[in-house]
Amino acid sequence: MTSTEHQEFTASVRALLTKHAGSAAVRTAMDTELGYDQALWQRLCEQIGVAALAIPEEYGGIGASLVESLLVVGELGRTLAGVPMLGSAVLGVQAVLLSGDEEACARLLPEVAEGTRTLAVCWAGENGWDEPGVHEADGTLSGTARYVLDGSIADTLIVVTATGFFEVDPTATGVTRRVVPTMDPTRKLTEITFTTAEARRLGTADPQPAIARLREIAWAAIAAEQVGAAEHCLTMTVEYTKSRVQFGRPIGSFQALKHRMADMYVLLESAKSASAAATLAVAEHTPTAPEDVWVARLHCSDALTTIVAETVQLHGGIAITWEHDAHLYFKRAHGTAHLFGTPQRPVAHSS
């Protein structure tokens, strides 16, 4: 797609979400067992084809790229809608493709593209994503995968182990799923335990490059989501300061607040640039992808955390009430700052 086509595509996604994924709809959905609006997901899949974007045409997809998929992730970040885009249509699909297992791709991905099959990537161990929580022995899996996106409702589990990727039926003997309490009510996370569970190995390729690549994609996707959320927070803050009157004037007219919002804008624009560079790098698999993703992961996390903190401050007491959405973005910011782990920050050396 050209940049103009990307803008039109993003506008289409935003228009659908504006109509069907407003604040009230998101709040209603997050209290359901699914955690998201199934009708919204069907609309996104049927009208725009979001789940099929990065799936090759031979597997029933559109054959676009990760760029388009992450544009959708960014728009979902604006609304906090918890549909299975990031966990299933991005990470689940990429895990299956990275396995190199053509039979599994042909069997699983067409239904994912249609939005009728949900994948969940089981990865993190007790100490995070640096070491998988599940291990393989004699063709069976044991261990616990933590912080699994879409794990409670997935039709197929894609398990990351040190020896490769595996496919598991979530209803199989030896598999137990438990939704865990989280600070962010808009995103459900699941803990999945495997007790000598039967599993099907996906492909025979060396898993380490595939795991590294999957981590890069995950970080680029999170950066895109964070930028979408940060942009919404800034817009929400500007609109509030235009309408909130103090001392006979809208508070947005006070120079001190103008400066703070200007700083938010500058931070947002730099985060957009970092996210865009990371998205393009992972989509094209460039040599600079690890560095570009590393920068985006750190900078976009910091940007959203800072911008949402300013949003809360500039809204005053209303921002910490349940009725206002600011606290939801605050919780999402802190949740995404840790999701899929974080790269080590450089150590400052004194001269």
Side-chain angles (χ1 to χ4, degrees):
M1 291 187 184
T2 65
S3 58
T4 300
E5 289 173 324
H6 280 152
Q7 291 173 0
E8 293 174 351
F9 173 72
T10 301
S12 298
V13 177
R14 187 174 300 183
L16 191 152
L17 292 174
T18 298
K19 184 176 182 180
H20 298 288
S23 174
V26 170
R27 285 171 175 265
T28 298
M30 73 186 189
D31 289 331
T32 64
E33 185 176 351
L34 278 179
Y36 67 91
D37 181 358
Q38 179 65 32
L40 170 64
W41 182 234
Q42 290 176 342
R43 288 189 179 96
L44 286 166
C45 292
E46 294 170 2
Q47 297 179 24
I48 301 179
V50 298
L53 287 168
I55 295 177
E57 292 182 32
E58 60 263 38
Y59 301 130
I62 293 174
S65 73
L66 279 168
V67 172
E68 289 74 35
S69 290
L70 298 200
L71 286 174
V72 176
V73 171
E75 287 304 306
L76 290 169
R78 294 172 59 89
T79 67
L80 304 184
V83 296
M85 181 69 193
L86 174 59
S88 179
V90 175
L91 296 181
V93 165
Q94 293 305 310
V96 175
L97 290 171
L98 286 168
S99 75
D101 191 318
E102 295 181 0
E103 187 279 331
C105 289
R107 179 167 45 82
L108 299 174
L109 298 187
E111 292 182 355
V112 177
E114 294 172 355
T116 57
R117 180 185 294 272
T118 300
L119 306 177
V121 177
C122 304
W123 185 353
E126 185 176 6
N127 298 317
W129 286 262
D130 290 334
E131 185 176 342
V134 181
H135 63 272
E136 177 263 339
D138 300 323
T140 64
L141 302 181
S142 295
T144 300
R146 292 169 169 82
Y147 321 117
V148 180
L149 290 175
D150 307 317
S152 64
I153 49 90
D155 303 294
T156 303
L157 305 178
I158 307 299
V159 185
V160 178
T161 76
T163 57
F165 292 176
F166 291 83
E167 175 190 345
V168 178
D169 181 344
T171 64
T173 302
V175 180
T176 57
R177 300 188 279 185
R178 182 177 71 91
V179 177
V180 296
T182 60
M183 180 176 67
D184 178 5
T186 64
R187 169 169 282 156
K188 290 187 182 296
L189 298 177
T190 306
E191 185 175 281
I192 304 181
T193 298
F194 301 84
T195 307
T196 58
E198 294 293 330
R200 180 187 182 279
R201 181 181 289 274
L202 296 178
T204 57
D206 180 359
Q208 296 312 311
I211 292 173
R213 167 77 172 156
L214 192 63
R215 176 78 73 99
E216 290 175 2
I217 294 169
W219 282 352
I222 284 294
E225 180 187 285
Q226 290 169 326
V227 166
E231 185 169 28
H232 180 77
C233 285
L234 176 57
T235 300
M236 185 165 56
T237 304
V238 171
E239 291 302 314
Y240 178 75
T241 60
K242 287 179 180 178
S243 62
R244 177 73 168 92
V245 175
Q246 191 72 25
F247 305 113
R249 296 167 54 186
I251 63 173
S253 66
F254 294 112
Q255 191 169 17
L257 299 194
K258 287 181 179 179
H259 285 169
R260 290 174 70 170
M261 286 183 283
D263 289 341
M264 292 166 71
Y265 175 78
V266 170
L267 192 55
L268 172 63
E269 290 302 303
S270 63
K272 282 183 178 180
S273 296
S275 174
T279 294
L280 189 61
V282 296
E284 298 183 352
H285 213 170
T286 66
T288 64
E291 181 180 350
D292 291 333
V293 170
W294 184 90
V295 170
R297 177 63 176 138
L298 289 177
H299 184 58
C300 294
S301 291
D302 288 346
L304 177 56
T305 300
T306 301
I307 289 171
V308 78
E310 284 289 84
T311 296
V312 171
Q313 286 282 322
L314 295 178
H315 275 78
I318 191 175
I320 59 173
T321 63
W322 176 253
E323 290 74 19
H324 200 277
D325 287 344
H327 75 96
L328 295 177
Y329 287 88
F330 180 86
K331 292 169 182 175
R332 175 62 68 91
H334 286 273
T336 56
H338 301 283
L339 195 62
F340 306 120
T342 53
Q344 186 175 359
R345 292 175 180 269
V347 178
H349 297 284
S350 58
S351 56

